[in-house]
Amino acid sequence: MTIHNLMEDFVYNEVNKVFDAAKEKNESWFTCNCMQCRLDTVCYVLNRIKPRYTTSGRGMAHFLQIDQPEKNQLLADVSALAFEGMKTVLSTKRSHTSSEQVLPSGHVFNFPTITGRVLDGQTFAPVSDLPVALYLENTLVAQMNHLWDNPYTISHKTPGTYTFWPFPVLASELGEKRIFNFYIHADKDGYDPIHYHFKLGLVSDASVKRDLDVESCHTLPDLYLFSRV
C-alpha cells in the first residue's frame, strides 16, 4: 500500500513561489537559490503542519472538497511557514555536501518522531507562543537536523501542536533493548509549568534511519496549561 501526504505537493509548490518571489525582488538576505535549500524549506514546513494522508484518488478528491475558508487559511499558514522556513534555512551557513551533525555509524537506537498538543486548561483551545522542550533524563535532546527545533515554539500557524525528532543514540549491539526516560517541559509567564514524563522502549537497529516513517510516530496525550490567576 502506497501512502502519500497530500500536503507535500502543495507545500513544494508554495515554497517554490516564495523562493522565486524573493529572487525576483532581489532581497538582501536571499543568499542561495539552490534546490537543496528549497527542499530543506519544504521539510521545515512539512514538520510544522498537519499531514493529510491518502492511499487513493478518493483521498485527493476529499481534500479538494474542503470549504473555501479552510483552503484560504491553509494557504495563508503554509505561505507564512514557507517564508519563515526560507529565512531560517538561508540564515544557517553550512555546506550542502555535509551535515552539521555527523550521524553515528553502526548499531543505533532510532527514535520515532514525538508529537503532542498543549491546550488551554480553561477553554480547551490550542495554545500558541509557547516554547516546549524535550529532555532525556536532564539533558535537552539533540534533534535529527537543523530543521527540527528543541525547544519548539508553538506558533499560531500550528496551534497547540509540537513535534520533535530525536538524534539517534549509539547501541552496543544489534537488537539491544533499552528504556529511555523523557520528559516534556513548557513554561509561560502567568501559568503553571508543564512537566510531563514518559518512557520509550526501543530495540537497536543496524544503522541510522535517515527518512521519516509515517507509521513511526509517538503521540503523547494532550497536555493542559493552567493560569495561576
Side-chain angles (χ1 to χ4, degrees):
M1 179 177 66
T2 301
I3 299 175
H4 181 63
N5 180 5
L6 295 174
M7 298 307 299
E8 289 180 9
D9 297 332
F10 185 63
V11 169
Y12 182 80
N13 290 334
E14 198 59 34
V15 165
N16 281 328
K17 287 180 184 178
V18 297
F19 265 81
D20 292 344
K23 180 182 179 182
E24 184 177 344
K25 293 178 181 178
N26 196 26
E27 300 282 8
S28 60
W29 45 264
F30 189 70
T31 56
C32 186
N33 191 34
C34 74
M35 181 55 68
Q36 184 62 57
C37 283
R38 291 184 180 225
L39 291 177
D40 282 353
T41 304
V42 169
C43 290
Y44 181 96
V45 178
L46 288 173
N47 290 343
R48 289 161 173 78
I49 62 174
K50 181 180 179 180
R52 294 172 183 260
Y53 296 116
T54 184
T55 58
S56 67
R58 183 175 297 178
M60 173 65 80
H62 177 73
F63 173 67
L64 293 174
Q65 289 176 0
I66 63 176
D67 58 33
Q68 194 60 45
E70 184 178 354
K71 285 183 182 178
N72 292 341
Q73 186 60 55
L74 179 62
L75 178 60
D77 291 344
V78 170
S79 296
L81 281 169
F83 184 77
E84 177 184 292
M86 176 176 61
K87 297 198 74 172
T88 300
V89 168
L90 296 183
S91 68
T92 306
K93 298 185 181 300
R94 70 192 196 287
S95 168
H96 294 314
T97 60
S98 63
S99 172
E100 68 273 12
Q101 292 191 86
V102 178
L103 293 172
S105 58
H107 309 311
V108 296
F109 291 100
N110 287 299
F111 294 98
T113 54
I114 297 170
T115 185
R117 297 192 308 166
V118 181
L119 307 178
D120 187 286
Q122 293 178 312
T123 66
F124 303 107
V127 303
S128 59
D129 299 319
L130 176 72
V132 180
L134 176 67
Y135 288 85
L136 178 58
E137 304 296 345
N138 291 313
T139 302
L140 195 67
V141 178
Q143 298 298 286
M144 191 64 176
N145 56 50
H146 70 286
L147 300 176
W148 296 77
D149 300 326
N150 190 18
Y152 179 98
T153 300
I154 297 174
S155 75
H156 67 278
K157 307 181 192 74
T158 56
T161 304
Y162 58 87
T163 57
F164 301 103
W165 190 12
F167 194 75
V169 170
L170 279 171
S172 58
E173 59 182 357
L174 181 64
E176 178 186 352
K177 297 180 180 180
R178 190 182 301 180
I179 302 295
F180 293 88
N181 297 300
F182 289 96
Y183 68 86
I184 293 287
H185 179 77
D187 204 350
K188 187 174 185 178
D189 288 344
Y191 292 84
D192 292 330
I194 293 173
H195 205 71
Y196 177 77
H197 289 261
F198 65 98
K199 300 176 184 288
L200 282 182
L202 299 179
V203 179
S204 65
D205 297 309
S207 60
V208 171
K209 294 181 179 179
R210 299 169 181 264
D211 299 320
L212 276 175
D213 181 354
V214 297
E215 296 183 354
S216 179
C217 178
H218 185 76
T219 302
L220 298 176
D222 290 343
L223 304 177
Y224 296 90
L225 192 66
F226 290 96
S227 172
R228 293 198 184 104
V229 179

